[in-house]
Amino acid sequence: MSPTLSHKDNSRQRRPGTFNHALDMKSGPLPPGSWEDSHPASAGGEGDREALLRDPNPVDFPKASRGCRAELSSILLLLFLYVLQGIPLGLAGSIPLILQSKNVSYTDQAFFSFVFWPFSLKLLWAPLVDAVYFKNFGRRKSWLVPTQYILGLFMIYLSTQVDRLLGNTDGRTPDVVTLTVTFFLFEFLAATQDIAVDGWALTMLSRENVGYASTCNSVGQTAGYFLGNVLFLALESADFCNKYLRFQFKTFLISDFLFFWGTIFLITTTLVAFLKKENKEVSVVKEETQGITDTYKLLFTIIKMPAVLTFCLLILTSKIGFSAADAVTGLKLVEEGVPKEHLALLAVPMVPLQIILPLIISKYTAGPQPLNVFYKAMPYRLLLGLEYALLVWWTPKVEHQGGFPLYYYVIVLLSYALHQITLYSMYVSIMAFNAKVSDPLIGGTYMTLLNTVSNLGGNWPSTVALWLVDPLTNCRTPDAVELCKKLGGSCVTTLDGYYVESVICVLIGFGWWFFLGPKFKKLQDEAPSSWKCKRGN
């Protein structure tokens, strides 16, 4: 039900599950704290930019062991950079809820959902970020500093335009096209900053302390997303502030939020540019890379392999069954009157569960057949999609005097928790499988490619699901409403496309599970040689 939850089980978008547009703390994205992002040094995931392009025969010079206290300033800097990274992710995730409260069409929501694609596609330009830089200024700072300056200036400029774009002035309707283009560029810059920070994390810290990079990633992005999404939506609501914070609060404008964080970006980036030096000796040793052309050729070679191509085709279609529940449910709840800030705050108690679940599930995916967990969890997640549709249908029936009783929110929270269990079961199993089959000689490139395809497997169905709601609903389009008015009547919805879509998606999902699921499981029985990449020296 969160703007990034449907992406979260695919990527960091932060990527990046359900109750889309309301509940998830992290997607991206792929949402913050995702499996591959929280283990950049060990898992070879998307954060592993050094593994992505590293020289196959690096020379490691011995160095004295250093405790984490000796590098506390670097750890705190990384943490803060990841917090900054989470701000635009959270802010972009809050926009669909704001748009929904202004009764924009689901077709417009589908168009805006492209904003969440850059974190799933960053592999396309990551080799460029790795290979092109100013040596004297620093490999990672060459991209980090200008990207964050542009982000800061972009946020300050956007603060002067966002009210107009959202239709907050003069009774205008939101300019969804301009908002989408603007926030797409916004997320593109954030994804580029993410590539630079992920790479710098592995050289900023010593070998003994590089494991703290994953902690900084997970904690920092989660905190940044919370500030940009949950906290912002709460402060943006005058009713919430007056009721729960016990002070009179007229409104917290999104323009104020953008201007404040844009200023923070500019100040902190200036400090990083002048005060933080890259360890050039370590960079030379650890970061010798292939050429850009060689890297793209390697990616193309991997994806042409029969086993990899089969995996890609299956994973790209495996999440169609969840798309209606993940992408539309949260927006429908807002449409039915549930306050968007209340839905956002329901993500808070889910954070401990999101931390614990991967640790528990990984015990069952550590064996030779991790995809068995994916296959077993899939039907339960599909059935929860029908439960979500039932929840949306029930919502207006329990509304009382403009509000909802406590037991309603308890049921929503329990539904979300059950969904998280199935989501993480499938997500962790895919990550385990990707790590299992990735060729260790090119583990970073290989696993990042598989993760990127997994990300897209969740993104495109969500966008399509949002786009189809209006065509499947009678009296939803402006033309239908206008026609009813001209005939002297009013437009009454008798068929809601969300329910039609929910049933169709679940049927497609069970069809995939029954006919293609066994073939997907058989991929883990392929010989190791089927996954080895043959390439020239």
Side-chain angles (χ1 to χ4, degrees):
M1 289 184 189
S2 138
T4 58
L5 185 54
S6 62
H7 311 287
K8 174 177 172 71
D9 75 306
N10 315 307
S11 74
R12 165 180 7 191
Q13 280 234 325
R14 215 161 223 112
R15 230 349 209 300
T18 160
F19 286 20
N20 196 16
H21 304 287
L23 287 182
D24 183 40
M25 292 294 297
K26 161 157 193 307
S27 354
L30 253 232
S34 67
W35 186 257
E36 75 271 28
D37 292 324
S38 61
H39 299 79
S42 60
E46 286 187 270
D48 193 358
R49 294 299 161 197
E50 304 315 318
L52 174 63
L53 297 169
R54 76 178 69 181
D55 191 296
N57 298 303
V59 180
D60 290 330
F61 295 109
K63 62 191 303 185
S65 177
R66 305 179 66 185
C68 64
R69 291 187 179 182
E71 296 185 307
L72 183 60
S73 61
S74 295
I75 292 174
L76 291 177
L77 174 60
L78 278 178
L79 179 65
F80 185 72
L81 289 175
Y82 280 120
V83 170
L84 291 182
Q85 189 181 115
I87 297 295
L89 293 176
L91 182 60
S94 68
I95 298 300
L97 293 174
I98 296 174
L99 292 177
Q100 191 67 12
S101 65
K102 297 179 180 295
N103 298 316
V104 302
S105 69
Y106 284 95
T107 303
D108 288 336
Q109 291 281 14
F111 188 69
F112 187 82
S113 70
F114 283 106
V115 165
F116 304 109
W117 284 51
F119 266 87
S120 298
L121 299 173
K122 62 183 179 179
L123 175 64
L124 297 179
W125 67 93
L128 182 67
V129 176
D130 267 326
V132 179
Y133 58 94
F134 297 104
K135 187 174 182 180
N136 291 334
F137 188 52
R139 180 175 192 173
R140 302 306 175 184
K141 287 170 61 178
S142 295
W143 287 91
L144 177 71
V145 171
T147 298
Q148 289 199 168
Y149 269 133
I150 296 173
L151 270 170
L153 293 172
F154 197 27
M155 292 175 83
I156 290 176
Y157 173 75
L158 189 58
S159 70
T160 66
Q161 304 295 320
V162 68
D163 286 326
R164 178 182 62 82
L165 296 177
L166 287 173
N168 292 336
T169 58
D170 301 329
R172 298 181 179 179
T173 58
D175 187 346
V176 177
V177 174
T178 306
L179 276 172
T180 302
V181 173
T182 300
F183 276 90
F184 184 90
L185 295 175
F186 203 38
E187 296 300 285
F188 173 82
L189 291 170
T192 304
Q193 188 253 22
D194 174 61
I195 298 169
V197 175
D198 283 347
W200 198 5
L202 300 180
T203 56
M204 185 185 298
L205 303 178
S206 64
R207 182 185 299 273
E208 293 80 7
N209 295 321
V210 73
Y212 286 101
S214 63
T215 304
C216 294
N217 185 309
S218 178
V219 175
Q221 282 197 358
T222 301
Y225 191 91
F226 180 88
L227 292 172
N229 185 280
V230 179
L231 184 62
F232 168 72
L233 287 173
L235 292 178
E236 191 256 352
S237 170
D239 292 338
F240 177 87
C241 291
N242 295 334
K243 184 175 180 180
Y244 295 104
L245 301 183
R246 302 298 182 183
F247 64 84
Q248 295 297 316
F249 194 87
K250 184 178 180 181
T251 184
F252 182 83
L253 297 176
I254 190 173
S255 57
D256 300 330
F257 181 90
L258 285 166
F259 183 84
F260 172 79
W261 283 108
T263 304
I264 295 296
F265 264 81
L266 295 180
I267 294 173
T268 56
T269 302
T270 302
L271 294 176
V272 170
F274 287 100
L275 300 181
K276 183 63 178 179
K277 305 297 182 183
E278 288 194 45
N279 189 335
K280 295 183 180 180
E281 180 181 344
V282 172
S283 298
V284 170
V285 174
K286 296 176 68 176
E287 298 195 291
E288 291 301 321
T289 67
Q290 305 173 26
I292 300 175
T293 304
D294 290 339
T295 301
Y296 285 118
K297 286 182 179 179
L298 178 58
L299 292 172
F300 186 64
T301 300
I302 295 172
I303 204 167
K304 286 194 302 181
M305 296 164 57
V308 174
L309 186 59
T310 301
F311 170 83
C312 292
L313 292 176
L314 290 175
I315 200 67
L316 282 172
T317 56
S318 64
K319 298 169 186 174
I320 296 176
F322 317 127
S323 56
D326 289 357
V328 188
T329 301
L331 297 178
K332 293 300 294 186
L333 290 178
V334 173
E335 182 182 321
E336 297 294 349
V338 180
K340 58 185 182 297
E341 63 274 11
H342 289 179
L343 287 178
L345 287 171
L346 287 178
V348 177
M350 288 294 102
V351 173
L353 183 65
Q354 292 169 343
I355 295 173
I356 295 172
L357 278 175
L359 300 177
I360 297 175
I361 297 167
S362 60
K363 296 179 181 179
Y364 300 94
T365 59
Q369 295 186 317
L371 292 183
N372 288 354
V373 176
F374 180 99
Y375 186 76
K376 291 177 181 178
M378 187 172 182
Y380 295 101
R381 186 174 172 187
L382 289 170
L383 291 175
L384 281 172
L386 294 179
E387 190 269 342
Y388 278 174
L390 183 63
L391 181 66
V392 172
W393 172 82
W394 181 57
T395 296
K397 302 181 185 306
V398 297
E399 184 177 11
H400 180 66
Q401 295 181 349
F404 295 87
L406 178 61
Y407 68 83
Y408 171 79
Y409 289 108
V410 171
I411 292 175
V412 172
L413 192 62
L414 288 175
S415 300
Y416 182 44
L418 291 173
H419 176 270
Q420 290 291 286
I421 294 173
T422 59
L423 183 152
Y424 273 91
S425 295
M426 299 178 66
Y427 178 69
V428 174
S429 67
I430 287 293
M431 292 298 103
F433 177 76
N434 290 351
K436 173 179 174 286
V437 302
S438 294
D439 189 336
L441 294 178
I442 48 173
T445 305
Y446 203 129
M447 188 169 178
T448 304
L449 174 63
L450 297 182
N451 290 342
T452 298
V453 176
S454 298
N455 299 344
L456 292 176
N459 280 335
W460 78 262
S462 294
T463 298
V464 173
L466 286 166
W467 180 77
L468 286 175
V469 173
D470 284 345
L472 293 174
T473 303
N474 72 315
C475 279
R476 176 69 193 183
T477 62
D479 291 339
V481 175
E482 188 64 26
L483 179 61
C484 288
K485 289 182 179 179
K486 285 183 177 180
L487 296 175
S490 61
C491 200
V492 178
T493 299
T494 57
L495 180 65
D496 193 322
Y498 167 68
Y499 301 113
V500 177
E501 196 174 271
S502 295
V503 174
I504 293 175
C505 284
V506 170
L507 291 176
I508 293 175
F510 272 109
W512 189 98
W513 180 74
F514 186 79
F515 293 106
L516 299 179
K519 187 174 183 179
F520 190 60
K521 281 202 305 176
K522 285 184 179 180
L523 287 174
Q524 59 197 351
D525 298 327
E526 292 276 352
S529 58
S530 300
W531 304 95
K532 298 294 183 182
C533 181
K534 297 178 181 179
R535 57 177 184 141
N537 293 326

